Amino acid sequence: VVLTNTGPEPAKGIKVGVELDGKAVGGDEVQIDNLDPGETNTVTLTATLERPGVNVLRVTARNDDLPGDNTFVRTLFVRDKV
């Protein structure tokens, strides 16, 4: 996941986590201590897709002043067999 601070002030203590089908993926949260204005940071999150069919992946960044732009949602189709 690529995060960019588009604001005029440093963002501090941003926590990034992942959910699958509305359930938090345990233990896979990353904290970015400081993200300066205009700075971009890439974080890697992992999740196991345990069932075939449609799954909803949601990545959320928390602890900043504008929560409206902190969520990325992707629908994934997982095949039963490859």
Side-chain angles (χ1 to χ4, degrees), residues 47 71 77:
T71 302
F77 179 75

Side-chain angles (χ1 to χ4, degrees), residues 19-71:
E19 295 178 358
L20 277 173
D21 297 322
K23 297 177 186 157
V25 176
D28 199 20
E29 185 172 79
V30 176
Q31 179 167 321
I32 298 173
D33 294 324
N34 186 68
L35 195 60
D36 288 325
E39 184 179 7
T40 297
N41 192 330
T42 301
V43 296
T44 301
L45 302 167
T46 58
T48 301
L49 300 166
E50 297 179 350
R51 64 177 182 81
V54 176
N55 293 262
V56 178
L57 173 79
R58 177 185 304 266
V59 176
T60 303
R62 299 183 291 121
N63 296 347
D64 83 347
D65 294 333
L66 186 59
D69 67 348
N70 293 354
T71 302

